[in-house]
């Protein structure tokens, strides 16, 4: 246990950090906060230990935002990184005053209306584009062009089917580290399993037989610049905020793929897809037909019980042994 000076005991005492209730009236409404306090383990007095004030301020801030469902400072920071725009032009583009965003960043609470505008921009690049157009005259040409271009790039995330977008978001959430090549293979396995176990694909998009294995071309181009830890990428918020279009059965398949194939590197997964019929029997750079994928995984499913983790792991081991 830690020690610090207790002013009641007049000597160093052990203390414990506990959450204490705290009521405060803000604009006529009473809120119940739960804030950390350092309590002397000898006399029970509250102690003023290092960092406790900062911690309380942070908790107070976060809890008030939760009560009122207001955006957090981190979400606002994500917003200007996301659209490649400075604080002042972002403020103007959203239709706020020039210094409004910088005020929110130092801890002023945003109004409900402003908070909702910020949320919409975090969710939808199309909304951001319309805001930029509406307030174009208030922005410098270069700020406008940069942010508009970035919003157009982000909009491409919405050019895929809802199912494919939701599959990617779920894979990213399940696996904190994932390379662009591994992502391609995992999408392919999800699709193969869904065709074999359920008989329908999860998403309508087709993949092509590239030298590195099955690739969903558009996805590859869009996500190759994502960070190694996609959930740390500012753009992840767009994926994660969009609606989840998956059925429970589809989620189960994606989680199974994450728990099994997800443990291997893109290179190892490539060894597996290179030894499978659908990729081997498709000319390079052509579409791998869903019927081929279905036929292949149906036959694998008869030999290995693919719907279980143990069956899938047996299949992976067999493939890697060659
Ligand atoms: Zn004391």
């Amino acid at each position: 246990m830690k020690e610090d000076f207790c002013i009641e005991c007049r000597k160093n005492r052990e203390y414990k950090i506990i959450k204490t209730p705290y009521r405060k009236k803000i604009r006529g409404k009473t809120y119940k906060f739960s804030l950390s306090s350092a309590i002397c383990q000898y006399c029970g007095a509250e102690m003023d230990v290092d960092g406790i004030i900062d911690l309380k301020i942070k908790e107070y801030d976060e809890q008030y935002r939760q009560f009122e469902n207001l955006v957090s400072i981190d979400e606002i920071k994500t917003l200007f990184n996301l659209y490649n725009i400075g604080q002042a032009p972002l403020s103007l583009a959203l239709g706020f005053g020039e210094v409004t965003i910088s005020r929110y960043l130092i801890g002023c609470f945003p109004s409900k209306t402003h908070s909702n505008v910020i949320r919409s921009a975090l969710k939808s690049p199309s909304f951001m584009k319309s805001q930029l157009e509406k307030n174009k005259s208030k922005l410098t040409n270069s700020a406008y062009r940069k942010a508009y271009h970035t919003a157009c790039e982000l909009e491409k995330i919405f050019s895929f089917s809802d199912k494919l977008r939701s599959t990617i978001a779920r894979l990213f959430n399940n696996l904190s580290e994932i390379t662009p090549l591994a992502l391609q293979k995992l999408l392919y396995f999800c699709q193969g399993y869904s065709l074999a176990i359920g008989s329908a694909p999860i998403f309508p998009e087709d993949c092509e037989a590239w030298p590195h294995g099955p690739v969903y071309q558009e996805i590859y181009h869009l996500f190759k610049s994502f960070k190694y830890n996609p959930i740390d990428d500012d753009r992840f918020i767009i994926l994660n905020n969009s609606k989840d279009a998956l059925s429970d059965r589809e989620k189960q398949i994606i989680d199974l793929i994450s728990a099994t194939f997800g443990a291997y590197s893109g290179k190892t997964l490539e060894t597996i897809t290179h030894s499978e019929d659908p990729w081997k029997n498709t000319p390079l750079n052509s579409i791998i037909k869903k019927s081929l994928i279905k036929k292949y995984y149906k036959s694998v499913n008869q030999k290995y019980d693919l719907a279980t983790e143990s069956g899938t792991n047996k299949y992976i081991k067999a493939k890697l042994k060659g």
Side-chain angles (χ1 to χ4, degrees):
M1 210 176 283
K2 289 178 179 173
E3 263 191 28
D4 211 324
F5 189 75
C6 171
I7 51 167
E8 292 298 323
C9 299
R10 308 302 305 165
K11 53 160 75 176
N12 269 7
R13 291 292 194 199
E14 285 186 345
Y15 67 87
K16 204 173 174 179
I17 305 279
I18 59 159
K19 296 271 189 188
T20 42
Y22 171 73
R23 283 164 177 272
K24 190 172 159 72
K25 211 172 182 176
I26 305 167
R27 293 187 201 118
K29 200 166 148 190
T30 306
Y31 298 86
K32 275 188 249 167
F33 294 88
S34 166
L35 306 179
S36 292
S37 304
I39 302 298
C40 169
Q41 293 301 286
Y42 187 81
C43 75
E46 196 175 336
M47 290 164 53
D48 178 18
V49 306
D50 229 21
I52 194 82
I53 302 279
D54 288 343
L55 181 60
K56 275 188 187 185
I57 291 173
K58 193 168 166 269
E59 288 170 343
Y60 174 82
D61 181 85
E62 282 168 0
Q63 288 169 28
Y64 181 74
R65 284 171 203 266
Q66 263 169 25
F67 294 144
E68 288 297 303
N69 193 23
L70 302 175
V71 284
S72 68
I73 293 180
D74 282 345
E75 284 175 292
I76 300 174
K77 282 184 188 157
T78 300
L79 188 59
F80 57 80
N81 289 333
L82 188 62
Y83 291 107
N84 198 9
I85 189 170
Q87 293 172 27
L90 172 64
S91 218
L92 294 168
L94 294 179
F96 309 164
E98 193 169 1
V99 295
T100 307
I101 289 283
S102 39
R103 252 192 236 133
Y104 293 159
L105 286 172
I106 56 167
C108 295
F109 293 121
S111 68
K112 198 101 185 170
T113 322
H114 281 186
S115 185
N116 290 341
V117 170
I118 292 169
R119 282 248 163 78
S120 303
L122 276 173
K123 212 184 280 186
S124 160
S126 314
F127 174 81
M128 188 63 186
K129 270 168 72 178
S130 69
Q131 287 298 121
L132 284 162
E133 271 164 24
K134 207 158 83 185
N135 297 300
K136 189 178 176 180
S137 62
K138 299 179 195 160
L139 306 173
T140 65
N141 205 14
S142 93
Y144 167 82
R145 281 211 323 265
K146 243 172 43 189
Y148 196 85
H149 173 77
T150 311
C152 290
E153 286 299 304
L154 287 169
E155 222 175 10
K156 290 183 184 162
I157 291 179
F158 293 89
S159 61
F160 312 121
S161 65
D162 287 348
K163 294 268 194 185
L164 178 51
R165 196 170 60 246
S166 304
T167 304
I168 296 172
R170 194 162 185 97
L171 286 169
F172 282 176
N173 274 307
N174 284 349
L175 304 160
S176 51
E177 290 178 353
I178 182 167
T179 62
L181 273 181
L183 172 65
Q184 293 298 324
K185 307 298 183 297
L186 297 174
L187 289 173
Y188 171 79
F189 293 128
C190 287
Q191 199 73 323
Y193 269 54
S194 187
L195 284 161
I197 300 168
S199 92
I202 297 182
F203 43 84
E205 283 84 348
D206 280 310
C207 60
E208 293 172 10
W210 280 21
H212 284 297
V215 167
Y216 296 86
Q217 200 186 135
E218 304 291 316
I219 298 287
Y220 181 74
H221 290 309
L222 184 66
F223 287 100
K224 70 181 173 198
S225 64
F226 258 63
K227 288 181 185 158
Y228 186 57
N229 290 339
I231 51 172
D232 291 339
D233 197 291
D234 289 319
R235 293 169 289 179
F236 178 68
I237 198 162
I238 298 268
L239 261 183
N240 216 32
N241 275 351
S242 56
K243 86 172 200 301
D244 182 359
L246 300 166
S247 69
D248 287 342
R249 189 189 66 83
E250 290 160 345
K251 285 177 191 166
Q252 269 172 18
I253 289 176
I254 297 164
D255 294 349
L256 172 67
I257 297 295
S258 309
T260 52
F261 290 99
Y264 297 89
S265 72
K267 216 58 202 161
T268 305
L269 298 177
E270 182 182 310
T271 317
I272 298 174
T273 52
H274 272 31
S275 71
E276 294 180 340
D277 290 346
W279 182 83
K280 281 199 297 190
N281 297 337
T282 302
L284 272 189
N285 302 318
S286 318
I287 285 178
I288 304 179
K289 292 201 186 84
K290 287 196 188 78
S291 54
L292 270 184
I293 303 175
K294 183 173 181 172
K295 192 174 156 217
Y296 176 75
Y297 281 101
K298 282 258 184 219
S299 73
V300 176
N301 193 29
Q302 276 171 359
K303 190 165 172 200
Y304 303 88
D305 184 11
L306 291 184
T308 64
E309 273 188 40
S310 61
T312 295
N313 284 327
K314 265 185 213 146
Y315 172 64
I316 296 174
K317 291 223 170 74
K319 277 286 168 192
L320 293 180
K321 268 187 201 142

